[in-house]
Amino acid sequence: QVQLVESGGGLVQAGDSLRLSCAASGRTFSRYVRGWFRQGPGKERDFVAAITWSGGSTYYADSVKGRFTISRDNAKSTVYLQMNSLKPEEPAVYYCAAGGGGDLGTEAGYDYWGQGTQVTVSS
């Protein structure tokens, strides 16, 4: 079983930056992809970014491409989401996820989820 714990959320102003972390434990992540999703008030949980563990290939939602960066630290089994130029419409609970493949851009592609970390963007 994989356990994921997000951290790094908080209150920021529009235009500010924040880095989220997701630490994994429980089993090897060598075959997993890692992703970030977010869910705003009254909205669906949307794909944000993903990274393949072995190759490091990255994928981004169009809405964050160029502003957000997903990265990994293999030694720490940790994935990061660097968020720059946060927008007022982007407050959400951010979730990290791990999956064995499939559609990286949907929830169906992931098997394990963290509890989420709140990001609040003030304007």
Side-chain angles (χ1 to χ4, degrees), residues 39-44 89 91-93 118:
Q39 186 172 25
K43 298 182 179 180
E44 299 292 323
E89 66 269 24
V93 177
Q118 177 71 49

Side-chain angles (χ1 to χ4, degrees), residues 13-79:
Q13 289 187 306
D16 284 355
S17 297
L18 200 64
R19 190 177 78 157
L20 306 181
S21 300
C22 178
S25 63
R27 69 167 69 178
T28 179
F29 268 79
S30 61
R31 70 181 183 90
Y32 283 135
V33 297
R34 303 282 293 276
W36 287 95
F37 288 72
R38 65 185 180 187
Q39 186 172 25
K43 298 182 179 180
E44 299 292 323
R45 190 180 298 181
D46 294 326
F47 171 74
V48 176
I51 186 168
T52 61
W53 198 249
S54 58
S57 299
T58 57
Y59 307 87
Y60 297 94
D62 289 341
S63 60
V64 306
K65 194 170 186 178
R67 296 187 298 118
F68 289 14
T69 302
I70 187 170
S71 61
R72 73 195 196 282
D73 184 332
N74 291 4
K76 296 181 178 180
S77 297
T78 298
V79 171

Side-chain angles (χ1 to χ4, degrees), residues 108-122:
Y110 300 85
D111 303 305
Y112 302 97
W113 296 84
Q115 293 290 98
T117 185
Q118 177 71 49
V119 174
T120 302
V121 184
S122 64

